[in-house]
Every structure is written in structure tokens, then in C-alpha cells.
């Protein structure tokens, strides 16, 4: 398995990363060398092995359905780059409807 | 619609139900609807770095309840996964959901169709968290409210077993009935506690291969689901009839314009890159817990309907209407504490009360007359304290005050006149005052009898017992012959 520059560009786009041509080339190379290294694992026959979802074998930890958090809005909004005191304000997501 | 007959619609529905837990899926914040923006949030549901999710046990229990009620297999072990996409109301950049191993699989829901009952298979039910809310319509910014971020949902995914808009609507109604009976969701589509997306394709009848499908979102009422599906089925048929092809895409239903339009932007990258959520252990469910939940399941709609038929000797139609919603069935049974006239109560609830509830668009649990008082009103009629006609008047009064009907009857002096001597006096007066009609009657025009009854009732201001009025009138008129 290997990745092409096209795929790297697509992955970057999905991750909202802007890469210049040099970076695309660099990351394609880097990712391929990682994949190359991981190929080692293919030598192991895992057809009979259950996929491991978590490295620690442990039971589910539940929380009872009880109100706990009391976090003030003032505190919640404190780190927001922009706020009107009620909402988080972010750049407009939907363009104004063309009439 | 000859053209339509050659085609068959193939529809699968994805229904999201907001669970009625006190707190969110992965943190202890309140799920209450309508709170001031950003007041029910904490570092976990704000997606701040370094926070970890802890699973709400009750949300899991609710999902299991639904799985059991829809004949699903409850998986002893299921996995949470991250669904990755960017949107401002999804602060972590991923939604915690379930992907490859959901909590419930392979169930079915039975629906009534014109050709008898049919099973709609369920592919899966899984647990996931809701996103926050974005408000776009004001100023140069998008406003983000995270109160809904992390509220627990279950997503119920059907197989493409639905073949018409009517079936889709029936299926949705059944799901809504189930979640409300189970007490796991309030079922309110307009407020978004129940949301529905549809996958639709069409094919010529008799074909088995599936056509290209489209997805429709944003249908926020039962009526809109029907309208949107109808629209999309017709659109696809037209395309095929013109030898054009259906493009696989996501459409947004616009209720104001009655059309579905392609969605752009957000859906462009349909690649959610699911992977197992490393912050949560696999969800293990013990056999004992499932048994415990099973044995505590409330009575489900069909069982309750059957019980109403047997226990209260109601016609199937009545039992169906009364149990169609849990709140109506509860009301009916509460009213039985003050009357035991099953059929009369059923009539009052089905015609008078339901009419008002529909007009005012209120849920039956909010009905202005308490069940106990409606039962009392019926008892008053049964004991001949008031006539059926007067009862309707008292009912109107009760709508405004929810006063005890016995008080209203006393205050307004509406008690029925059953004293024959009193009624006799009124009858005699009416006959004396209307000699022309008496003449007509005696000459064989028997229709005039109704006129006399009406006059007597009017004179008594509706209070005379109609049966006694009839008897006395007949007797008096016979004596005149």
C-alpha cells in the first residue's frame, strides 16, 4: 500500500491543512516510508485474531445520569476569540442567499 | 397516475431520537431544552483539550429498551467510533458515534398497510451524541450555542423495505409511538426530538436490482416527510421516463417552496474517516442487565390496544385511537377512576376531547380538562343528573376552568328535571300555546311531534329529561284524540 500526491492533497483538504507543493512532496514521501515500515506487520498472520479496539482490557465505566456540571457561561466563553456574551461568534458559515 | 404504477419506490429511513435523559451522553450537563444559550455546557461538551468522555448509563439503557421493543439483537459488546467532519457547532471536530459494531442489530417493526401487516426490518440502532446549534441569520457572524452538544441520541436505521410514502409515514408513526411508550424520547418532530432522513430510489416493478439513490434531509414533520418523499419519487420517475439518470446526491427539503434541492458545501467531502474512539472502552453489556431491562419494559402499544379491547369491551377502532398515543391511553385510564362507562368515555375522548386537542395542537397530557373531571361529567349523565345536551355545555365550561362538573351543575342550576309533575306543567303550556300545531298533529302530521319536544326543551332551558318529555307528550296528545 502506498499513497499518491493526489491522496495526500485530499487528506490535507479533509484535515483543513494548506500544503504547498514542497510539503505535498515531503509528506507523500514521509507517509510512504511509514507505510513501508508498517508492512513488517503484514508478515504476521492475523486472520484468526480479533481486532483490538483498545490497548487496555477493561470494563466499560458508566456514569449515573445525575446532574453534575455547573459551569458558568461567563467562564465557558472566556477563551472564545469572539463572543457577544451569549454565543460563540465564528465567521459566517453560510453565504448570504443570492436573490 | 398510470405511469406511477409501473414503478416501485425503495425507501430506507434513518431516524434520530433524542433521549430523555437528565444529562448529556458523556458529561453531567443538563439536556433541558430551551435554556439560555451556552448555559448547559462544560469543558467536555465544549471539546476542550484534555477532557475525557464518561458514558451515561441511562442512555445505554434507553437504547437497549428500544432494541428490545423492536426485536433487535442486543450486542454484548459494541464499539464507539469517531465520525470526523468540520463544522463550528461540532467543537471536537468529530462526533462520537458507533460504526462497525453498534449496540443493536437485526430487528423489525410491524406496520399496517392496505395489504395487511408487514415487517420493516431494522438494520441497526446505535448511540451517538448530538451537535450544537448554529444560528446564521443575524449579523456578519455565525452564532454557536453548545447547549445541545453532547445530548444523547439513538439512530434507528431501517433496511430499504419501505415502498410508499404512506408506508414511510406509518413506520414513522409506529416508531414515535414506541419511543413515547418506552419513555425514552418525547417524540416531538417539530422541536427536533425526532428527526428523519430518507434514502430513496425507484425501480420498475418486478426488478430486484436497486436504482441510484438520493438522500433527503430536513423533513421536520410527518407531513413534510410525506410531501418530500412524494416529490422525490416523482422527480426520479420523470428523470427515468425522459431517459435521464438519477445522480447520487444529498437533497435538503424546503418546506416553504415544497421542493428538495441539492445540498452543497458541507457534504462535499462525504468521507467521515471513522475510526474506533480511543477514549472509550468497548461497551460491554451483561446478559443480566438485558434481562432486567426486558422485565421492566412498559406495556407496548399493541398489547395495550388488545387489553383495551378485552378489559373495556371496546371496539377495535376505539382501542386503536385511544392507544395511538401513550398520553391519550393514560388519560383514558385515569378517567376510569371516576366513571365505569367505558364506551361513553371512549366516545367523549375520541370526539370531543381529541377534537379540541387537535385544534389547539396540545399534547393530551396538557389537555385542559383533567381526566378525573371528565370521568365525573360522564357519571353525572349516567346518573341522570344532567342530560347529554347539558353535558356538552358543562364540557365547554370545564375547558376554561377545569372546575369540578358537580360544582358547575350546581352553580348554574343545570340539574335535569326528572320530576314528571313539573314536566307535565310545561307540556300542557306548550300544547295550549300552539293550537295550530296541535291541530296539524291530530290531522296526522306526526312530524310536528319533534316541534313539541323542542318547545318543551326550550321552555325548560334544556334541563327536562328528554325521555320523560317524550312519554308525557305522547300521553297528552293521545288524550286529545
Amino acid at each position: 500500500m502506498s499513497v499518491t500526491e493526489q491522496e495526500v492533497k485530499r487528506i490535507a483538504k479533509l484535515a483543513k491543512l494548506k500544503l504547498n507543493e514542497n510539503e505535498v512532496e515531503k509528506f507523500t514521501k514521509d507517509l510512504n516510508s511509514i507505510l513501508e515500515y508498517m508492512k513488517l506487520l503484514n508478515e504476521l498472520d492475523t486472520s484468526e485474531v480479533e481486532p483490538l479496539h483498545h490497548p487496555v482490557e477493561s470494563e466499560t465505566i458508566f456514569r449515573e445520569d445525575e446532574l453534575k456540571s455547573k459551569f458558568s457561561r461567563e467562564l465557558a466563553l472566556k477563551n472564545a476569540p469572539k463572543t457577544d456574551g451569549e454565543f460563540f461568534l465564528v465567521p459566517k458559515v453560510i453565504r448570504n442567499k443570492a436573490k | 397516475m398510470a405511469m406511477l404504477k409501473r414503478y416501485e419506490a425503495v425507501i430506507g429511513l434513518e431516524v434520530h431520537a433524542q433521549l430523555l435523559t437528565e444529562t448529556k451522553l458523556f458529561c453531567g450537563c443538563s439536556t433541558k431544552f430551551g435554556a439560555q444559550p451556552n448555559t448547559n455546557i462544560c469543558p467536555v461538551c465544549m471539546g476542550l483539550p484534555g477532557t475525557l468522555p464518561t458514558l451515561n448509563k441511562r442512555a445505554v439503557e434507553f437504547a437497549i429498551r428500544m432494541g428490545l421493543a423492536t426485536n433487535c439483537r442486543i450486542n454484548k459488546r459494541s464499539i464507539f467510533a469517531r465520525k470526523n467532519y468540520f463544522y463550528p457547532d461540532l467543537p471536537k471536530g468529530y462526533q462520537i458515534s458507533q460504526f462497525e459494531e453498534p449496540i443493536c442489530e437485526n430487528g423489525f417493526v410491524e406496520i399496517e398497510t392496505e395489504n395487511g401487516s408487514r415487517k420493516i426490518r431494522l438494520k441497526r440502532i446505535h448511540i451517538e451524541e448530538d451537535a450544537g446549534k448554529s444560528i446564521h441569520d443575524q449579523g456578519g457572524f455565525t452564532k454557536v450555542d453548545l447547549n445541545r452538544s453532547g445530548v444523547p441520541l439513538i439512530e434507528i436505521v431501517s433496511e430499504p423495505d419501505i415502498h410508499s410514502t404512506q408506508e414511510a409515514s406509518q413506520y414513522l408513526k409506529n416508531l414515535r409511538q414506541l419511543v413515547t411508550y418506552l419513555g425514552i424520547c418525547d417524540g416531538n418532530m417539530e422541536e427536533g426530538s425526532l428527526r428523519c432522513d430518507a434514502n430513496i430510489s425507484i425501480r420498475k416493478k418486478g426488478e430486484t436490482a436497486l436504482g441510484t439513490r438520493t438522500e433527503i434531509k430536513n423533513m421536520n414533520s410527518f407531513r413534510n416527510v410525506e410531501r418530500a418523499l412524494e416529490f422525490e419519487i416523482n422527480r426520479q420517475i420523470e428523470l427515468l421516463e425522459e431517459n435521464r439518470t438519477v445522480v447520487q446526491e444529498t437533497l435538503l427539503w424546503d418546506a416553504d417552496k415544497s421542493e428538495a434541492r441539492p445540498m452543497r458545501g458541507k457534504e462535499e467531502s462525504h468521507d467521515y474517516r471513522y475510526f474506533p474512539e480511543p477514549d472509550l472502552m468497548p461497551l460491554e453489556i451483561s446478559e443480566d442487565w438485558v434481562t432486567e431491562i426486558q422485565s421492566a419494559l412498559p406495556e407496548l402499544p399493541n398489547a395495550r390496544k388488545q387489553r383495551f379491547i378485552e378489559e373495556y369491551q371496546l371496539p377495535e377502532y376505539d382501542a386503536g385511537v385511544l392507544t395511538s398515543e401513550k398520553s391519550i391511553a393514560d388519560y383514558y385510564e385515569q378517567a376510569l377512576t371516576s366513571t365505569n362507562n367505558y364506551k361513553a368515555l371512549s366516545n367523549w375522548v375520541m370526539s370531543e376531547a381529541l377534537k379540541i386537542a387537535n385544534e389547539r395542537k396540545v399534547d393530551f397530557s396538557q389537555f385542559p380538562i383533567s381526566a378525573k373531571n371528565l370521568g365525573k361529567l360522564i357519571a353525572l349523565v349516567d346518573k341522570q343528573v344532567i342530560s347529554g345536551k347539558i353535558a356538552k355545555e358543562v364540557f365547554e365550561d370545564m375547558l376554561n376552568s377545569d372546575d369540578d362538573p358537580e360544582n358547575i351543575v350546581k352553580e348554574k342550576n343545570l340539574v335535569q328535571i326528572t320530576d314528571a309533575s313539573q314536566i307535565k306543567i310545561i307540556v300542557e303550556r306548550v300544547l295550549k300555546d300552539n293550537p295550530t300545531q296541535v291541530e296539524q298533529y291530530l290531522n296526522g302530521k306526526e312530524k310536528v311531534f319533534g316541534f313539541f319536544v323542542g318547545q318543551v326543551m326550550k321552555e325548560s332551558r334544556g334541563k327536562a329529561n328528554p325521555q320523560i318529555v317524550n312519554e308525557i307528550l305522547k300521553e297528552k296528545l293521545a288524550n286529545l284524540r
Side-chain angles (χ1 to χ4, degrees):
Chain A
M1 198 168 112
S2 63
V3 292
T4 62
E5 290 197 354
Q6 272 310 312
E7 281 166 318
V8 169
K9 281 180 185 164
R10 179 170 152 72
I11 294 163
K13 196 180 169 196
L14 287 171
K16 295 255 191 279
L17 295 173
K18 272 190 189 130
L19 303 184
N20 62 35
E21 282 307 311
N22 287 340
E23 285 168 324
V24 170
E25 200 182 314
K26 177 184 174 341
F27 283 121
T28 310
K29 225 171 89 191
D30 285 359
L31 285 173
N32 277 323
S33 81
I34 293 169
L35 287 170
E36 191 63 31
Y37 176 65
M38 296 304 271
K39 263 190 195 160
L40 261 179
L41 294 174
N42 289 346
E43 287 171 23
L44 200 68
D45 178 10
T46 56
S47 57
E48 301 285 309
V49 182
E50 284 270 310
L52 180 74
H53 287 100
H54 208 278
V56 191
E57 287 295 324
S58 167
E59 286 201 6
T60 326
I61 296 147
F62 287 116
R63 179 175 59 77
E64 292 301 323
D65 185 24
E66 284 160 9
L67 276 177
K68 269 227 180 90
S69 144
K70 205 55 216 159
F71 207 73
S72 74
R73 175 159 73 190
E74 198 191 350
L75 195 55
L77 294 173
K78 208 162 185 176
N79 280 340
K82 203 159 185 71
T83 160
D84 60 2
E86 285 191 305
F87 292 93
F88 296 91
L89 299 182
V90 300
K92 197 143 194 158
V93 184
I94 289 183
R95 258 171 268 151
N96 287 325
K97 279 175 200 161
K99 288 277 159 79
Chain B
M1 292 301 233
M3 184 173 87
L4 279 172
K5 288 226 162 89
R6 293 198 284 127
Y7 290 95
E8 174 182 60
V10 180
I11 303 167
L13 292 183
E14 292 169 9
V15 175
H16 285 89
Q18 209 173 73
L19 299 179
L20 281 174
T21 52
E22 285 289 315
T23 65
K24 294 185 178 181
L25 187 53
F26 299 118
C27 62
C29 288
S30 167
T31 54
K32 209 167 232 147
F33 183 81
Q36 286 293 307
N38 291 311
T39 50
N40 291 331
I41 62 177
C42 76
V44 175
C45 54
M46 288 165 72
L48 296 189
T51 57
L52 286 171
T54 43
L55 184 57
N56 185 335
K57 190 174 182 188
R58 176 148 293 227
V60 177
E61 184 196 322
F62 283 1
I64 296 172
R65 275 197 211 169
M66 188 59 178
L68 291 171
T70 53
N71 315 288
C72 284
R73 180 182 78 220
I74 311 299
N75 288 329
K76 296 287 160 290
R77 186 185 135 97
S78 65
I79 307 289
F80 284 96
R82 291 186 179 181
K83 177 179 177 174
N84 300 280
Y85 66 91
F86 287 107
Y87 208 70
D89 56 27
L90 186 78
K92 294 194 297 298
Y94 57 85
Q95 176 194 28
I96 304 180
S97 179
Q98 295 192 301
F99 187 55
E100 276 174 346
E101 297 176 47
I103 185 163
C104 312
E105 283 179 285
N106 299 336
F108 66 85
V109 170
E110 256 176 292
I111 61 164
E112 292 300 323
T113 71
E114 45 191 18
N115 309 315
S117 83
R118 213 156 67 69
K119 280 179 187 169
I120 306 297
R121 290 170 302 155
L122 298 189
K123 188 184 284 178
R124 55 189 278 152
I125 298 175
H126 67 252
I127 304 172
E128 62 185 27
E129 57 176 344
D130 209 343
K133 224 182 216 165
S134 305
I135 301 163
H136 305 289
D137 53 355
Q138 294 151 340
F141 293 92
T142 289
K143 294 175 165 185
V144 180
D145 173 11
L146 295 179
N147 279 349
R148 207 179 59 185
S149 167
V151 166
L153 307 171
I154 48 172
E155 178 172 341
I156 305 148
V157 183
S158 85
E159 295 283 356
D161 286 352
I162 298 164
H163 296 304
S164 68
T165 53
Q166 293 81 4
E167 284 185 14
S169 176
Q170 188 61 48
Y171 167 79
L172 258 186
K173 280 182 184 144
N174 284 17
L175 284 192
R176 181 177 181 277
Q177 205 188 20
L178 277 176
V179 293
T180 51
Y181 267 76
L182 291 169
I184 62 172
C185 170
D186 68 23
N188 190 327
M189 276 195 94
E190 280 76 12
E191 276 178 17
S193 343
L194 203 64
R195 289 167 240 164
C196 173
D197 301 331
N199 287 299
I200 310 163
S201 63
I202 55 163
R203 63 184 173 199
K204 290 230 169 78
K205 273 203 178 137
E207 279 180 12
T208 49
L210 293 170
T212 307
R213 69 185 162 91
T214 58
E215 188 180 0
I216 300 196
K217 290 176 179 278
N218 199 36
M219 304 172 287
N220 57 355
S221 73
F222 282 95
R223 215 174 102 68
N224 276 323
V225 170
E226 287 194 18
R227 285 169 64 205
L229 292 178
E230 199 76 56
F231 171 91
E232 182 55 12
I233 291 167
N234 289 333
R235 189 186 72 93
Q236 291 192 13
I237 289 175
E238 267 175 44
L239 283 175
L240 293 196
E241 284 289 305
E242 291 166 15
N243 285 320
R244 289 155 69 197
T245 50
V246 175
V247 180
Q248 183 167 346
E249 61 187 343
T250 303
L251 306 164
L252 271 189
W253 175 248
D254 182 335
D256 294 330
K257 294 194 176 141
S258 292
E259 61 177 25
R261 283 196 306 271
M263 193 174 180
R264 288 194 197 93
K266 186 179 170 185
E267 288 295 307
E268 183 186 13
S269 53
H270 226 318
D271 183 350
Y272 292 127
R273 293 151 294 148
Y274 283 96
F275 63 88
E277 165 61 276
D279 288 345
L280 287 163
M281 297 289 158
L283 171 54
E284 310 264 357
I285 294 163
S286 73
E287 192 79 52
D288 285 350
W289 194 27
V290 175
T291 315
E292 193 188 312
I293 295 169
Q294 172 91 63
S295 61
L297 277 189
E299 187 180 34
L300 295 179
N302 272 336
R304 199 166 192 183
K305 181 179 165 187
Q306 284 314 311
R307 184 167 63 76
F308 273 34
I309 294 173
E310 283 154 30
E311 200 172 326
Y312 307 134
Q313 298 101 43
L314 291 175
E316 192 182 340
Y317 175 80
D318 292 41
V321 174
L322 294 175
T323 57
S324 63
E325 297 202 20
K326 183 173 183 289
S327 52
I328 303 176
D330 287 348
Y331 186 94
Y332 181 83
E333 295 209 277
Q334 271 166 37
L336 286 179
T337 54
S338 42
T339 175
N340 51 17
N341 192 337
Y342 304 133
K343 180 59 181 147
L345 177 61
S346 165
N347 292 345
W348 273 92
V349 171
M350 288 199 305
S351 49
E352 307 300 326
L354 262 178
K355 196 177 81 193
I356 302 283
N358 289 337
E359 274 171 18
R360 302 190 182 180
K361 292 191 173 134
V362 293
D363 184 80
F364 227 74
S365 57
Q366 315 285 319
F367 191 69
I369 300 177
S370 68
K372 199 178 158 205
N373 278 344
L374 183 64
K376 276 189 173 177
L377 179 67
I378 293 160
L380 288 177
V381 179
D382 286 342
K383 281 184 259 165
Q384 302 208 346
V385 177
I386 54 171
S387 65
K389 192 161 169 276
I390 292 290
K392 298 238 161 108
E393 271 181 57
V394 177
F395 181 83
E396 294 292 328
D397 271 12
M398 291 164 76
L399 278 175
N400 299 321
S401 62
D402 191 27
D403 213 353
D404 186 323
E406 285 175 22
N407 290 342
I408 296 175
V409 168
K410 249 182 241 157
E411 267 168 34
K412 298 207 159 180
N413 189 24
L414 298 171
V415 177
Q416 183 164 243
I417 305 170
T418 48
D419 177 355
S421 61
Q422 268 192 65
I423 294 176
K424 231 175 237 168
I425 296 167
I426 302 173
V427 168
E428 279 165 0
R429 192 161 64 227
V430 165
L431 294 181
K432 203 178 125 208
D433 290 349
N434 298 284
T436 331
Q437 282 82 357
V438 171
E439 194 65 33
Q440 285 172 343
Y441 180 86
L442 294 176
N443 288 332
K445 205 176 168 197
E446 302 213 340
K447 268 199 293 187
V448 189
F449 191 79
F451 167 80
F452 296 130
V453 175
Q455 289 301 307
V456 175
M457 293 311 283
K458 204 173 144 193
E459 289 275 314
S460 72
R461 277 187 255 138
K463 293 189 293 185
N465 177 309
Q467 274 156 321
I468 304 179
V469 171
N470 273 325
E471 282 164 25
I472 295 178
L473 254 176
K474 270 187 198 144
E475 194 190 308
K476 291 278 172 197
L477 286 166
N479 289 342
L480 290 177
R481 278 189 206 269

